[in-house]
Amino acid sequence: MDKNKICRAVMSFKAPVHIGEKEKLYNITRAFAHSDTLMSGIINAYSLLYGKDETEKLISEFINGTPPFEVSSTMPYVNFQYFVPVPLGLNMEEYKNKGIINAEHQKELKKIKFVREKDLFEGFPFKYKPAGSFLIPQSEFENDKKKTFSLGRTKERARVSVDRQTSSSNIYYFSHFEFEKESGLWFYLKINIEKLENKIKAAIRLLGDEGLGGDRTCGLGSFDVDFKDDVPQFKSDKSKYYMSLSLVNPKDEDEIKSVVYYEILTRSGYVYSKAGLGIKRKTVSVFGEGAVFSSKICGRVVDVTPEKFLSHKVYCFGLAFLAPLPEGVMLFGSR
């Protein structure tokens, strides 16, 4: 792969996945992983393959603002159609008024969370209709494909915990997401240092064996990964607006001022490493996926090392993975 070229990493899950919404809430799972969770998994897999010293050298490049590689958050694909988050501030009502989106009720528009990658970056060239949280071409309905258009479903398993001292038992429910065949998750991978390409891809393949998300010791989260070059290379690099496809923690006041539409998320959780299982890391706030910026920003890596934890540093990756929005995209107040 050429330097700075973006590829698509397609994750085909071999088992259900549990990606927690909040610590100790086992009965809730998301269907995708944010970029900080994905990057944490890749870095840990890289450490298993190449050791502590080489991993610390890799991380220092991120901290210095010269990331050797970049990733987006994971995003869904259904029937091998690749989706991206709806840009925050996208004026769905205007698309409906112009006859581009065919929706009978307002609530259908509010449910839309994902649009096809090629539709967004080509400026929605067809007629569309909502299908749950997805916006798909109306021709999909005409071809009677609606019934099979599903990412998957959430399931629950009953489990029992036993107190070590009293032997008393307590039943609780553990949720996981099961993907449909030909559906799963994908993310953008951009290699900035060409000589590291094979090592980074090996770490991602190892992450597939180790598993993504929680309850990996029970076999959840394992996947096969395929690296594809069939992605738009964002030739129109200059745009009025840029959408984030990752979590973003702005590095300075100028980057904060450039945000136009955003949602703030709180990221917390526990340290995952050989030295610190079960230790809570510091909390950090970030802009969520779909945030729209008026200029290119970089974001930053945030030190979230818990106090009195001296084994190694703990980081939250808030580096921006941006995509330029096409000219003519209809945002609220953009006319």
Side-chain angles (χ1 to χ4, degrees):
M1 190 166 69
D2 296 337
K3 181 183 177 182
N4 295 331
K5 186 177 179 181
I6 301 172
C7 75
R8 185 196 315 278
V10 181
M11 308 160 77
S12 178
F13 283 88
K14 298 182 287 186
V17 62
H18 173 85
I19 300 173
E21 185 72 30
K22 190 176 181 181
E23 55 267 26
K24 296 186 178 178
L25 284 180
Y26 304 114
N27 61 336
I28 297 176
T29 181
R30 290 194 307 269
F32 67 95
H34 293 294
S35 54
D36 60 342
T37 300
L38 176 63
M39 184 64 88
S40 174
I42 296 173
I43 295 296
N44 274 292
Y46 192 93
S47 177
L48 289 173
L49 283 173
Y50 306 112
K52 180 180 177 182
D53 292 342
E54 192 162 339
T55 304
E56 289 183 346
K57 184 179 176 183
L58 184 82
I59 293 174
S60 67
E61 297 290 337
F62 287 100
I63 297 171
N64 295 334
T66 55
F69 69 98
E70 302 169 46
V71 297
S72 69
S73 294
T74 59
M75 298 170 282
Y77 68 86
V78 181
N79 298 337
F80 291 109
Q81 298 186 71
Y82 302 101
F83 289 83
V84 296
V86 173
L88 297 176
L90 191 72
N91 193 341
M92 290 283 188
E93 189 67 30
E94 189 70 12
Y95 282 94
K96 180 175 178 288
N97 293 339
K98 290 182 178 295
I100 298 173
I101 297 178
N102 178 15
E104 296 179 5
H105 306 289
Q106 185 71 19
K107 62 182 180 183
E108 288 183 89
L109 298 179
K110 293 182 178 179
K111 286 183 180 178
I112 300 171
K113 302 298 181 186
F114 298 99
V115 296
R116 295 197 309 176
E117 173 199 48
K118 59 182 180 181
D119 292 331
L120 176 62
F121 298 130
E122 292 177 5
F124 297 104
F126 308 115
K127 303 290 185 184
Y128 299 90
K129 194 170 182 179
S133 58
F134 298 94
L135 184 68
I136 61 176
Q138 192 160 320
S139 58
E140 295 280 331
F141 290 85
E142 294 167 356
N143 294 333
D144 198 26
K145 294 180 179 178
K146 180 183 176 183
K147 293 180 181 178
T148 60
F149 195 88
S150 171
L151 179 63
R153 61 192 59 80
T154 299
K155 292 185 176 180
E156 282 189 339
R157 291 178 181 173
R159 292 187 177 178
V160 176
S161 63
V162 179
D163 189 285
R164 292 181 180 178
Q165 294 182 332
T166 65
S167 297
S168 62
S169 60
N170 180 46
I171 190 168
Y172 67 99
Y173 291 90
F174 194 94
S175 65
H176 60 262
F177 193 86
E178 196 171 278
F179 291 96
E180 295 279 7
K181 189 180 180 182
E182 299 184 347
S183 298
L185 300 176
W186 69 282
F187 61 93
Y188 287 117
L189 170 65
K190 182 181 179 185
I191 304 290
N192 297 326
I193 299 179
E194 195 172 354
K195 66 180 181 181
L196 291 178
E197 178 180 348
N198 290 336
K199 286 187 172 182
I200 294 164
K201 287 184 174 178
I204 295 172
R205 291 190 180 96
L206 178 58
L207 175 62
D209 295 335
E210 292 280 309
L212 180 68
D215 228 25
R216 294 182 295 276
T217 53
C218 293
L220 296 190
S222 61
F223 61 88
D224 289 326
V225 62
D226 189 15
F227 299 99
K228 297 185 176 182
D229 295 328
D230 59 339
V231 298
Q233 295 303 312
F234 308 128
K235 294 177 182 176
S236 177
D237 201 30
K238 294 181 179 179
S239 176
K240 187 177 180 181
Y241 298 108
Y242 297 85
M243 181 181 78
S244 172
L245 296 173
S246 66
L247 299 181
V248 180
N249 187 278
K251 69 177 182 181
D252 55 34
E253 191 171 342
D254 288 340
E255 290 197 347
I256 294 174
K257 288 179 179 177
S258 71
V259 68
V260 183
Y261 299 99
Y262 62 92
E263 177 186 18
I264 294 179
L265 304 179
T266 299
R267 303 296 291 155
S268 60
Y270 292 92
V271 175
Y272 173 67
S273 83
K274 291 177 284 187
L277 288 173
I279 300 173
K280 201 167 183 180
R281 70 183 199 188
K282 291 181 180 177
T283 299
V284 63
S285 296
V286 295
F287 291 133
E289 297 88 351
V292 176
F293 299 87
S294 59
S295 62
K296 282 187 175 180
I297 67 165
C298 298
R300 63 171 181 164
V301 177
V302 185
D303 187 342
V304 293
T305 308
E307 293 183 6
K308 300 181 181 178
F309 182 76
L310 305 176
S311 299
H312 57 75
K313 291 289 187 181
V314 183
Y315 297 103
C316 176
F317 284 82
L319 296 172
F321 193 103
L322 301 182
L325 289 176
E327 187 177 351
V329 64
M330 292 186 281
L331 302 172
F332 286 104
S334 62
R335 280 190 273 178

